[in-house]
Amino acid sequence: MNLAVKDIRHNLGRFALTALGIGLLLMIVMGMGGIYRGIIEDATLLPDRIGADFWIIQRDTRGPFAELSRVTPNLVHRALAVPGVRRAREFVYHTIQRERGGKPLRVAVLGLSWPIDKGEWIPLTAGRPLGQNHFEMIADQTLGFQLGELISLGKDTYTVVGLTKSMISSGGDGIGFFTVADAQSIQFDTAGEAIRLERAAREARGEHSEFVTKQPSLLEQAVRPAQELPAIARPQISAVLVSVATGVDSRCVADIIAGWGDVSVYTKEGQRDLLLKGSVEKIRRQIGLFRVLLTLIAAIIMALILYTMTLDKIHSIALLKLIGAPNTVILGLIMQQGLLLGLLGFGIAFAVGQRVFPMFPRRVILAETDLFQLGMIVLVISVASSFLGIWKAMNVSPNEALS
Amino acid sequence: MKNGFAIQTEILTKVYGSGNTEVVAMQEATMNVSRGEVVALLGPSGSGKSTFLTAIGLINPPTSGRVFIGGQLVLEGSRAYTNLRAFRRKHLGFVFQKANLIPFLSALENVEIALEINGSSHRAARIRAMELLDYLGVGDRAENLPSMLSGGQQQRVAVARALANHPSVILADEPTAALDSQRGRQVMELFAQIAHEQSAGVVVVTHDHRALDVFDTLYEMEDGVIRKQSEVVAS
């Protein structure tokens, strides 16, 4: 006869509510683990997927995901000239905030190096990669754009030609993929009045310049668009992504480029580590500690519940001892209830979490390893929590059945 | 079994506390109960009856003295010569003033559990438990939880549980307190019948003087001292 099941059957409502409570608590622990995993996944998504062996970034910076990095576009050609380099791509990355439907809309703008990178590596859920150098974008579905929708950013309008799922920046913003030219156009979008004022200021500065004194016709050039003036550099890019040829040691190539005085080089792993130890480190640790704390709280609550459940049965346990029930019967009664409570709690946590977590603003990733780890923790908690009840049961005297 | 006694006690003494708070609950209590004998233990509240019963029931060991069950030395003072819980399971049956049934088990399961913890298979336990409940007139309430039974029905289920493993000793503490006189007498007669049929020694602590004719021997206890009633009368 299974006494644990008989007792549960007798107090089914209370047990079900207790299991639900434990389940919801475990769901929070599970969710914390999922948020923790999601932050890591989001942070490392781009370095993992973009398919570069190493990143060339502004000297002494930590790259575009950690801070502002600016390098000249011609760095692409310099990199391509290094023996062993198969491909070098421009990379532009910045975040913008606009309004959409009265609500703030944050977009992580990522520029792809057209035409060698049309976004074929991006996992699309609908649509296609970029098909032209301008006015097309691929958007993550968290941005709320529809396929074919026209989105105005700056002075231009972009057509959403592809949709992605879970392409999120380390800050949790959905990524919009454009060509580098469009990404820069969005980044350096300036109002007409500001352009006119800058040209006027340029002209004013020129009037006091020694060059203009010697050659007054130069002043006429000052009011021309900036991109037509060789003295003004082209807009800078965030980084250059380098892929090496098959069979070439990427470390050797990276060492060569790292020797240049104006840039720093990070491998994919280096960039990944930088992200994890840099921008997301504090939040990662905070959530990790919070998760540990919640696990401890869950353990304490489960122990108290099992202890209370044992106290409720203490007379029956004394009676069982009185009529000669061996300790294994009493131990089984408490331990089985503890395990069942843990198992049901875990099941409820998983089932409810599956429905609730997708509604969270940031990704909650329930990795199999995390679920297995939590399952083991719940198992240990269930057994350990039972010990308090078992200790109480072992110490009860059969005499108490007579009181 | 080495002799014809179901229970033998030798000068059992139970002392609670020490120094100024010392209380002697039982003093040199000696009793012999033969197989098939039904013994009543009478006495006022606080006389030490329950202390004596729990001592021979191997629940609350005496401070000194010896307890033999079925001729086997089981307790000498607080020293146990066997696993007391296992011994209780195999040889003793208990009935209390309150039925003391496990609330989350049905009447049938309350009897079954006593059999199963003693090694009976589930099927055999079920058959035996049902036989006992039928025998005690509560077979039709077998599937009911204790909370759905009357006091008398609960007490009969408790008796069935006590009898389940064919114990050589049955100990009952005020078993008829919750029953009307007719039911009370039925229970007492049942004990006598079982004692005679199964050669079990039965000790019943009772205040109920209406069914004393059922018992083979009467003992009286006062201030922790046991005497046979004939001795009481003679003194």
Side-chain angles (χ1 to χ4, degrees), chain A residues 1 3 6-7 9-10 313 315-316 319-327 329-330 398-399 401-403, chain B residues 54 59-60 85 88-89 94 96 98 100-106 109 112-114 116-117 122 145 161:
Chain A
M1 184 187 307
L3 291 175
K6 300 282 180 190
D7 182 38
R9 187 190 62 183
H10 185 239
K313 290 190 287 288
H315 188 267
S316 298
L319 187 69
L320 284 167
K321 282 184 161 186
L322 183 69
I323 64 173
N327 281 339
V329 170
I330 296 158
N399 264 327
L402 305 176
S403 57
Chain B
T54 54
I59 299 165
N60 188 15
R85 206 187 297 182
R88 282 201 300 270
R89 183 165 70 228
F94 294 91
F96 311 100
K98 288 188 288 181
N100 267 334
L101 299 176
I102 296 174
F104 54 83
L105 299 181
S106 68
E109 289 164 346
E112 270 184 74
I113 187 71
E116 287 190 15
I117 61 175
H122 178 69
L145 291 171
R161 184 180 61 195

Side-chain angles (χ1 to χ4, degrees), chain A residues 221-358:
Chain A
Q221 307 297 320
V223 294
R224 295 177 64 180
Q227 62 267 33
E228 294 176 12
L229 300 177
I232 296 177
R234 280 183 57 203
Q236 294 184 305
I237 57 176
S238 305
V240 172
L241 314 182
V242 176
S243 304
V244 298
T246 311
V248 174
D249 184 356
S250 64
R251 196 170 298 273
C252 293
V253 180
D255 285 346
I256 294 169
I257 297 173
W260 299 349
D262 59 335
V263 294
S264 291
V265 175
Y266 276 96
T267 59
K268 184 173 83 177
E269 290 74 26
Q271 191 66 248
R272 199 174 189 278
D273 287 349
L274 263 177
L275 278 162
L276 292 180
K277 289 175 185 162
S279 55
V280 298
E281 172 66 6
K282 280 182 185 166
I283 187 76
R284 192 172 72 101
R285 281 176 57 191
Q286 186 156 331
I287 287 174
L289 287 171
F290 198 50
R291 188 185 177 205
V292 170
L293 205 62
L294 273 174
T295 308
L296 282 175
I297 291 168
I300 291 167
I301 289 175
M302 270 191 78
L304 284 175
I305 286 172
L306 286 170
Y307 182 70
T308 311
M309 284 168 71
T310 306
L311 284 185
D312 288 347
K313 290 190 287 288
I314 210 72
H315 188 267
S316 298
I317 289 168
L319 187 69
L320 284 167
K321 282 184 161 186
L322 183 69
I323 64 173
N327 281 339
T328 48
V329 170
I330 296 158
L331 209 128
L333 167 65
I334 299 167
M335 187 75 85
Q336 284 170 23
Q337 288 192 342
L339 287 171
L340 201 58
L341 202 59
L343 187 73
L344 276 175
F346 186 81
I348 289 168
F350 184 72
V352 178
Q354 291 280 13
R355 282 156 184 78
V356 170
F357 294 152

Side-chain angles (χ1 to χ4, degrees), chain A residues 17-75:
Chain A
L17 275 177
T18 306
L20 183 66
I22 293 281
L24 293 178
L25 187 63
L26 289 176
M27 186 194 77
I28 296 172
V29 178
M30 197 179 274
M32 278 293 157
I35 292 170
Y36 178 90
R37 186 65 57 194
I39 283 174
I40 292 174
E41 185 81 6
D42 290 348
T44 56
L45 190 75
L46 281 175
D48 284 347
R49 293 209 177 167
I50 210 159
D53 292 317
F54 57 86
W55 298 59
I56 309 175
I57 58 175
Q58 183 180 340
R59 182 85 184 176
D60 296 334
T61 69
R62 298 292 177 268
F65 302 119
E67 58 181 310
L68 200 64
S69 166
R70 282 183 175 167
V71 293
T72 54
N74 66 14
L75 189 60

Side-chain angles (χ1 to χ4, degrees), chain A residues 163-223:
Chain A
L163 290 175
T164 63
K165 188 181 177 188
S166 305
M167 292 300 285
I168 307 285
S169 73
S170 60
D173 305 315
I175 299 176
F177 298 87
F178 303 81
T179 60
V180 164
D182 286 347
Q184 287 180 320
S185 172
I186 294 166
Q187 184 179 9
F188 299 112
D189 174 46
T190 314
E193 181 63 10
I195 293 170
R196 282 190 289 278
L197 286 170
E198 166 54 20
R199 286 177 188 170
R202 208 184 295 153
E203 194 172 7
R205 286 195 301 274
E207 284 172 354
H208 302 289
S209 166
E210 187 186 342
F211 295 111
V212 173
T213 310
K214 289 178 181 172
Q215 199 174 346
S217 62
L218 279 176
L219 200 56
E220 292 168 18
Q221 307 297 320
V223 294

Side-chain angles (χ1 to χ4, degrees), chain A residues 126-191:
Chain A
R128 56 168 175 80
L130 299 181
Q132 59 189 44
N133 193 19
H134 286 294
F135 313 129
E136 284 190 351
M137 70 176 289
I138 298 167
D140 188 74
Q141 62 184 29
T142 55
L143 295 171
F145 301 157
Q146 303 299 315
L147 200 63
E149 190 176 346
L150 299 176
I151 309 296
S152 290
L153 292 169
K155 297 182 183 64
D156 300 315
T157 299
Y158 301 88
T159 306
V160 179
V161 297
L163 290 175
T164 63
K165 188 181 177 188
S166 305
M167 292 300 285
I168 307 285
S169 73
S170 60
D173 305 315
I175 299 176
F177 298 87
F178 303 81
T179 60
V180 164
D182 286 347
Q184 287 180 320
S185 172
I186 294 166
Q187 184 179 9
F188 299 112
D189 174 46
T190 314

